[in-house]
Amino acid sequence: MNRKHTISRIAAAVFAAATIVSVAGCGAASASGNGVSSAKAVDKLGKAEGQVSILAWPGYAEDGSNDPNVDWVSKFEQDTGCQVTSKTYGTSDEAYNLIKTSDKYDVVAASGDLTLRLINGGLVQPLNTGLIPSYKNVYSFLKNRDFNTVDGKTYGVPHGYGANMLMYSKSTFSEAPTSWDVMFDTAKASQYKGKIDAYDSPIYIADAAIYLMKHKPELGIKNPYALDKDQLKAATDLLKEQNVNVGEYWSDYLKLIQSFQSGDAEVGVGWQVAYNQLDSSKYGIAMPQEGVTGWSDSWMISSKTKNTTCAYKWLDYIDSPEANAQATEYFGEAPANSEACKFATDKDFCTKYHAGDEAYEKQIWYWTTPISDCLDGRKNVKCTDYTEWTKAWQEIKG
């Protein structure tokens, strides 16, 4: 993938609410007594209003202004008559505050750490997917997940997805590591003290929870985003132990790349797009046996919008094979539309990002907002929410 500009998904850095997708099975989340379940999707669309305002990650709604050769918004405007205005954001917290305090945004691209907050806050509306023809070709494993579906209602149309993998220097590891123990097991991690890069966000607590699921089953963790107080404490304690070995916490993947290239990092959590920009003869990337966290972003429509038809048209367009291929290839993630690979400019694009590879996908626990109603189905306990995760993260970093 050729990128000559900086698209940093600073996103994950100050995440504002994590959302979960169970690896073991799909299943919609439940509303937390907030009246969300009474919301209804529209039955039909009217005449296009002529405009739509989009709030999205950098690189999700390119109109040629950043690079004249990168533009999929103009075709949408020509085809629909809906003129696009867009704003980018750097973190999920920023996006949440913008949507909560303003009615100017019709559509938002939200990561899993944000979606449940928008849904449970009544800030986005349920969707009639029958009015979004492209939705039928979205990979089935991205549908009806806890981060985009509540009480059986779809609130988000998938955009793309990716995993948080184990990256390593081949000069340090003669063979690819097979476990996160090189980052979490104190004895092993101490060998790389100051050379470990970790993700800078409360949602990173889920990575520790995944490790504990495998290595401390007595804790009873079934879902890394559904942690009761004891389970959260165990994950927090593990990350406090890891902290003394961490050289850098990153939120901009370009800094992760620089850390490996400079030799400041020998092992860490990273994205496929970062690895693709490194010399593969010197660096490697692995899927550890415990599994990984990841993301699946969703396009959602504001409950305050006055441009419903243009908003629906955008969701249908951005999930169409050609536009979805352009957007996800440019950003660096697997597309959501199963037909998108046909339109990729890099013939190896979908192979690099494991598009449609269900065996690979099943190992990903997608970011999901931790909420007090346990996402693993437990009814007799109260789980910790994102506010509690944020406090724990502050303790971890000190």
Side-chain angles (χ1 to χ4, degrees):
M1 182 181 58
N2 181 19
R3 298 207 224 220
K4 297 181 180 177
H5 68 298
T6 299
I7 299 179
S8 68
R9 192 179 172 95
I10 304 174
V14 188
F15 271 93
T19 31
I20 160 45
V21 154
S22 163
V23 174
C26 303
S30 296
S32 301
N34 49 23
V36 172
S37 59
S38 63
K40 295 183 179 180
V42 298
D43 294 325
K44 59 183 179 180
L45 300 177
K47 182 180 179 181
E49 300 86 358
Q51 60 188 5
V52 64
S53 177
I54 295 172
L55 181 64
W57 292 116
Y60 272 28
E62 292 295 307
D63 61 3
S65 57
N66 290 318
D67 183 337
N69 297 314
V70 181
D71 178 6
W72 50 87
V73 168
S74 294
K75 185 176 188 305
F76 168 77
E77 293 177 325
Q78 295 165 4
D79 291 350
T80 65
C82 300
Q83 298 302 300
V84 172
T85 57
S86 63
K87 178 180 175 60
T88 59
Y89 62 87
T91 70
S92 292
D93 277 338
E94 180 186 351
Y96 178 75
N97 290 328
L98 286 169
I99 297 169
K100 186 176 181 180
T101 59
S102 173
D103 60 0
K104 66 185 293 185
Y105 303 107
D106 303 307
V107 174
V108 59
S111 291
D113 67 322
L114 173 61
T115 52
L116 287 188
R117 291 203 302 163
L118 296 177
I119 295 170
N120 291 346
L123 297 173
V124 291
Q125 59 181 273
L127 302 174
N128 181 345
T129 58
L131 301 175
I132 307 172
S134 294
Y135 185 75
K136 69 178 181 297
N137 287 325
V138 169
Y139 291 118
S140 60
F141 55 74
L142 297 178
K143 298 178 179 179
N144 190 35
R145 306 302 294 254
D146 286 341
F147 53 82
N148 59 30
T149 304
V150 171
D151 291 338
K153 297 178 181 179
T154 298
Y155 283 82
V157 169
H159 174 86
Y161 65 99
N164 301 314
M165 305 286 283
L166 180 60
M167 286 176 51
Y168 62 95
S169 170
K170 290 183 178 179
S171 63
T172 302
F173 296 88
S174 58
E175 295 183 359
T178 59
S179 170
W180 287 111
D181 59 7
V182 295
M183 289 182 63
F184 289 119
D185 180 272
T186 302
K188 293 185 178 180
S190 62
Q191 300 176 54
Y192 319 110
K193 186 172 183 177
K195 300 287 188 176
I196 292 176
D197 273 20
Y199 195 50
D200 192 4
S201 168
I203 203 62
Y204 183 59
I205 291 171
D207 290 60
I210 287 176
Y211 183 77
L212 291 172
M213 285 170 65
K214 176 77 172 182
H215 297 277
K216 287 196 175 181
E218 64 271 18
L219 289 169
I221 300 174
K222 303 299 182 186
N223 181 320
Y225 306 99
L227 305 180
D228 59 35
K229 290 188 181 299
D230 291 339
Q231 293 166 340
L232 177 62
K233 184 180 184 303
T236 300
D237 288 345
L238 180 61
L239 289 171
K240 285 180 178 178
E241 293 174 10
Q242 184 196 57
N243 176 263
V244 300
N245 295 315
V246 172
E248 181 178 23
Y249 290 98
W250 64 274
S251 57
D252 181 341
Y253 75 79
L254 295 176
K255 291 184 178 179
L256 174 69
I257 294 172
Q258 292 168 1
S259 290
F260 273 92
Q261 290 176 329
S262 66
D264 290 336
E266 294 179 353
V267 64
V269 60
W271 297 334
Q272 185 76 41
V273 64
Y275 170 71
N276 290 346
Q277 296 181 47
L278 291 170
D279 184 344
S280 61
S281 69
K282 297 179 179 179
Y283 308 98
I285 193 167
M287 171 69 79
Q289 61 186 3
E290 297 90 355
V292 298
T293 58
W295 73 88
S296 173
D297 292 345
S298 302
W299 286 100
M300 312 180 88
I301 298 179
S302 169
S303 57
K304 305 173 188 176
T305 183
K306 294 183 174 68
N307 300 306
T308 302
T309 297
C310 280
Y312 264 84
K313 287 183 177 294
W314 172 259
L315 265 61
D316 182 46
Y317 173 78
I318 198 62
D319 249 11
S320 63
E322 188 169 4
N324 194 232
Q326 286 179 284
T328 55
E329 185 175 10
Y330 180 69
F331 185 86
E333 60 187 324
N337 191 302
S338 61
E339 301 295 313
C341 294
K342 300 175 182 177
F343 296 90
T345 57
D346 178 358
K347 63 180 178 58
D348 297 321
F349 166 64
C350 284
T351 300
K352 290 177 183 176
Y353 289 93
H354 303 273
D357 184 343
E358 294 196 38
Y360 176 88
E361 188 275 336
K362 286 182 182 299
Q363 300 177 78
I364 303 173
W365 289 88
Y366 297 108
W367 284 329
T368 308
T369 312
I371 55 177
S372 58
D373 288 349
C374 296
L375 293 165
D376 59 7
R378 284 181 291 172
K379 303 297 183 184
N380 58 337
V381 298
K382 183 178 180 180
C383 278
T384 52
D385 61 20
Y386 195 76
T387 300
E388 293 170 277
W389 282 43
T390 301
K391 292 178 180 177
W393 186 244
Q394 292 169 347
E395 292 178 15
I396 291 162
K397 293 189 67 180

